[in-house]
Amino acid sequence: MAHDTSRARGIRAEDHDSYCVLEGRADAGLILLCDHACNAIPPAYGTLGLPPEQLERHIAYDIGAAQVTKSLAAALDVPAVLTRYSRLLIDPNRGADDPTLIMRLSDGAVIPGNKRLDEAERERRARLYYAPYHRAIDAVIDQCLASGTPPMLLSIHSFTESWKEMPRPWHVGVLWNKDLRLAKPLLEGFYAEGDLIVGDNEPYSGQLEGDCLWQHATCRGLVNALIEIRQDLIRDAAGQEAWARRLCRIVTTISSATFPRHAPAATAGGVGGASTTQRGERPGMNGGGAMTKIDNSLVTELEAAAFRRLVGHLRERGDVQNIDLMNMAGFCRNCLANWYQEAASAKGLELTKEGAREVIYGMPYKEWQAKHQKEASAEQKAAFAAAAKPHGA
Ligand SMILES: [Zn+2]
């Protein structure tokens, strides 16, 4: 990415107890994230009852990922947000209501300090060690959006070289959910290296609702992908630097080729079924250049207006059954309510499932069901069962 020293640097470095922000250009079009940067535990928690050597393992953090993130951020002059505490305390890459948010058992190790946690302790960990990181990411995104260049989000992780004694062949994996706009060129970049076994949504699937990228990128329509590097490759400084250089080269090529800065918008439409209506997408949302000057809060207003019409339409069409929506389109009113609730929670707002449903239905869900919901036919149920896809982990 070319430097433009006439611009303000934008994102300033910040040091906080539970996270840090690395400085970088606000208009770089890229933010790096490292959810599992550290294996530290706040002193009050000791070692969470684990033998200290367990904290050196992958269960506590992503070995090597923090240094790769730091070197890459410096090389590209882009901002980065990194955690400061171990995922064993609370996992920032899980939704706030994910059952694995605070693990009791991880890769064969029982975590004594996570057994029998009461609600107050869960709330405390979320407040001190989870929410601040997510707020910081949102704040950095907001600053980048204000610069006029929607940022891509690239999350850096590492994985163990074997799982349940099975060696993992991949050197690197690219994880993605529905949005291939960054994942595809990353995969191609890694394939082109010639010396790598590359995982496409391996060793994990990127389709985990509620995870960090889902909260900050999917929910905000920003281009995103997650990279998993096998940890033996980045365990020492030499490996970390080599991988930072490799990523720098690949990301620079992508940034200049796929997302040319200041270049006219390309034809609309993402690759591989990516939505064309997402805000961060240069080609799609901004209408082929006609709306590139539009200010982001106005874009949000337009999106909200379309959302309100959708909700209004669904309220008028009480005859349209949720199960038919699911069978036809893979979503229904309850999904909309979930998305609304999740967007609220990503902003730190407490909203119950019932409350979110009322926003969508315009009345309590039970009342709507009594008024409009019909008994599903065997045919509808069968179609629903056939359409239900297993969910990635
Ligand atoms: Zn990780």
Short mmCIF file of all heavy atoms in Angstrom, two decimals, residues 57-59 107 158-163 166 168 203-204 228-232:
data_model
loop_
_atom_site.label_atom_id
_atom_site.label_comp_id
_atom_site.label_asym_id
_atom_site.label_seq_id
_atom_site.Cartn_x
_atom_site.Cartn_y
_atom_site.Cartn_z
N ARG A 57 0.43 -23.38 26.05
CA ARG A 57 -0.15 -24.12 24.93
C ARG A 57 -1.14 -23.28 24.14
O ARG A 57 -1.59 -22.22 24.58
CB ARG A 57 -0.89 -25.37 25.43
CG ARG A 57 -0.01 -26.45 26.02
CD ARG A 57 -0.88 -27.60 26.46
NE ARG A 57 -1.70 -28.12 25.36
CZ ARG A 57 -2.86 -28.76 25.54
NH1 ARG A 57 -3.35 -28.95 26.74
NH2 ARG A 57 -3.54 -29.18 24.49
N HIS A 58 -1.52 -23.83 23.00
CA HIS A 58 -2.51 -23.17 22.13
C HIS A 58 -3.83 -22.91 22.85
O HIS A 58 -4.54 -21.97 22.51
CB HIS A 58 -2.75 -24.05 20.90
CG HIS A 58 -3.78 -23.51 19.98
ND1 HIS A 58 -3.50 -22.51 19.07
CD2 HIS A 58 -5.10 -23.79 19.83
CE1 HIS A 58 -4.60 -22.22 18.39
NE2 HIS A 58 -5.58 -22.98 18.82
N ILE A 59 -4.16 -23.73 23.83
CA ILE A 59 -5.45 -23.51 24.50
C ILE A 59 -5.51 -22.12 25.12
O ILE A 59 -6.58 -21.56 25.26
CB ILE A 59 -5.76 -24.58 25.58
CG1 ILE A 59 -4.70 -24.61 26.69
CG2 ILE A 59 -5.91 -25.96 24.96
CD1 ILE A 59 -5.12 -25.45 27.91
N ASP A 107 -9.27 -28.82 24.61
CA ASP A 107 -8.29 -29.75 24.08
C ASP A 107 -7.74 -30.67 25.17
O ASP A 107 -6.54 -30.79 25.36
CB ASP A 107 -7.15 -28.97 23.39
CG ASP A 107 -6.29 -29.89 22.51
OD1 ASP A 107 -6.67 -31.06 22.33
OD2 ASP A 107 -5.23 -29.43 22.05
N SER A 158 -3.54 -18.53 14.81
CA SER A 158 -2.68 -19.68 14.50
C SER A 158 -3.34 -20.95 15.05
O SER A 158 -4.17 -20.88 15.95
CB SER A 158 -1.28 -19.50 15.09
OG SER A 158 -1.30 -19.57 16.50
N PHE A 159 -2.98 -22.08 14.48
CA PHE A 159 -3.59 -23.35 14.88
C PHE A 159 -2.51 -24.40 15.15
O PHE A 159 -1.37 -24.27 14.71
CB PHE A 159 -4.58 -23.84 13.82
CG PHE A 159 -3.98 -24.17 12.47
CD1 PHE A 159 -3.65 -25.48 12.13
CD2 PHE A 159 -3.76 -23.18 11.52
CE1 PHE A 159 -3.12 -25.80 10.89
CE2 PHE A 159 -3.21 -23.48 10.28
CZ PHE A 159 -2.89 -24.79 9.96
N THR A 160 -2.90 -25.42 15.89
CA THR A 160 -1.93 -26.46 16.28
C THR A 160 -1.60 -27.36 15.10
O THR A 160 -2.44 -27.58 14.22
CB THR A 160 -2.48 -27.34 17.41
OG1 THR A 160 -3.74 -27.87 16.99
CG2 THR A 160 -2.68 -26.55 18.67
N GLU A 161 -0.38 -27.91 15.12
CA GLU A 161 0.04 -28.73 13.99
C GLU A 161 -0.64 -30.10 13.97
O GLU A 161 -0.59 -30.80 12.96
CB GLU A 161 1.56 -28.85 13.90
CG GLU A 161 2.31 -29.20 15.15
CD GLU A 161 2.77 -28.01 16.00
OE1 GLU A 161 1.90 -27.22 16.43
OE2 GLU A 161 3.96 -27.90 16.29
N SER A 162 -1.28 -30.46 15.10
CA SER A 162 -2.06 -31.70 15.06
C SER A 162 -3.29 -31.54 15.94
O SER A 162 -3.36 -30.66 16.80
CB SER A 162 -1.22 -32.88 15.55
OG SER A 162 -0.82 -32.66 16.88
N TRP A 163 -4.25 -32.37 15.68
CA TRP A 163 -5.50 -32.35 16.45
C TRP A 163 -5.89 -33.78 16.74
O TRP A 163 -6.01 -34.59 15.83
CB TRP A 163 -6.61 -31.63 15.67
CG TRP A 163 -7.93 -31.64 16.36
CD1 TRP A 163 -9.04 -32.33 15.98
CD2 TRP A 163 -8.29 -30.91 17.54
NE1 TRP A 163 -10.07 -32.09 16.86
CE2 TRP A 163 -9.64 -31.23 17.83
CE3 TRP A 163 -7.60 -30.05 18.40
CZ2 TRP A 163 -10.31 -30.68 18.93
CZ3 TRP A 163 -8.28 -29.51 19.48
CH2 TRP A 163 -9.61 -29.83 19.74
N MET A 166 -3.87 -36.33 15.04
CA MET A 166 -3.84 -36.32 13.57
C MET A 166 -3.08 -35.08 13.12
O MET A 166 -3.47 -33.97 13.45
CB MET A 166 -5.27 -36.24 13.00
CG MET A 166 -6.01 -37.55 13.03
SD MET A 166 -5.38 -38.71 11.82
CE MET A 166 -6.03 -37.97 10.31
N ARG A 168 -2.00 -31.99 11.00
CA ARG A 168 -2.76 -31.12 10.09
C ARG A 168 -1.83 -30.71 8.95
O ARG A 168 -0.75 -30.17 9.19
CB ARG A 168 -3.25 -29.89 10.83
CG ARG A 168 -4.46 -30.19 11.71
CD ARG A 168 -4.71 -29.06 12.65
NE ARG A 168 -6.09 -29.03 13.11
CZ ARG A 168 -6.50 -28.30 14.14
NH1 ARG A 168 -5.64 -27.55 14.80
NH2 ARG A 168 -7.76 -28.31 14.50
N PRO A 203 -8.17 -25.16 8.96
CA PRO A 203 -8.70 -26.32 9.67
C PRO A 203 -10.05 -26.09 10.35
O PRO A 203 -10.59 -27.02 10.94
CB PRO A 203 -7.62 -26.58 10.74
CG PRO A 203 -7.00 -25.25 10.98
CD PRO A 203 -7.06 -24.52 9.69
N TYR A 204 -10.57 -24.88 10.27
CA TYR A 204 -11.92 -24.64 10.81
C TYR A 204 -12.76 -23.98 9.75
O TYR A 204 -12.24 -23.42 8.80
CB TYR A 204 -11.89 -23.70 12.03
CG TYR A 204 -10.78 -23.92 13.00
CD1 TYR A 204 -9.70 -23.05 13.05
CD2 TYR A 204 -10.83 -25.00 13.89
CE1 TYR A 204 -8.68 -23.25 13.97
CE2 TYR A 204 -9.81 -25.19 14.80
CZ TYR A 204 -8.73 -24.32 14.83
OH TYR A 204 -7.73 -24.52 15.72
N GLU A 228 -5.47 -18.33 9.37
CA GLU A 228 -4.93 -19.25 10.38
C GLU A 228 -3.57 -19.74 9.89
O GLU A 228 -3.48 -20.35 8.83
CB GLU A 228 -5.86 -20.45 10.56
CG GLU A 228 -7.19 -20.17 11.22
CD GLU A 228 -7.12 -20.24 12.74
OE1 GLU A 228 -6.02 -20.51 13.28
OE2 GLU A 228 -8.17 -20.01 13.38
N ILE A 229 -2.54 -19.49 10.66
CA ILE A 229 -1.20 -19.97 10.30
C ILE A 229 -0.83 -21.10 11.26
O ILE A 229 -1.08 -21.01 12.46
CB ILE A 229 -0.16 -18.84 10.43
CG1 ILE A 229 -0.60 -17.61 9.62
CG2 ILE A 229 1.22 -19.32 9.97
CD1 ILE A 229 0.20 -16.36 9.93
N ARG A 230 -0.26 -22.17 10.71
CA ARG A 230 0.11 -23.29 11.60
C ARG A 230 1.19 -22.83 12.57
O ARG A 230 2.18 -22.22 12.16
CB ARG A 230 0.56 -24.50 10.77
CG ARG A 230 0.34 -25.81 11.52
CD ARG A 230 0.68 -26.98 10.65
NE ARG A 230 2.10 -26.96 10.30
CZ ARG A 230 2.63 -27.57 9.25
NH1 ARG A 230 1.87 -28.26 8.43
NH2 ARG A 230 3.93 -27.49 9.02
N GLN A 231 0.99 -23.11 13.82
CA GLN A 231 1.79 -22.44 14.83
C GLN A 231 3.28 -22.83 14.82
O GLN A 231 4.12 -22.03 15.22
CB GLN A 231 1.20 -22.67 16.23
CG GLN A 231 1.22 -24.12 16.65
CD GLN A 231 0.60 -24.32 18.03
OE1 GLN A 231 -0.22 -23.54 18.48
NE2 GLN A 231 0.98 -25.39 18.69
N ASP A 232 3.61 -24.02 14.33
CA ASP A 232 5.04 -24.37 14.32
C ASP A 232 5.81 -23.47 13.35
O ASP A 232 7.02 -23.32 13.47
CB ASP A 232 5.23 -25.85 13.95
CG ASP A 232 4.62 -26.20 12.60
OD1 ASP A 232 3.41 -25.92 12.42
OD2 ASP A 232 5.34 -26.71 11.73
#
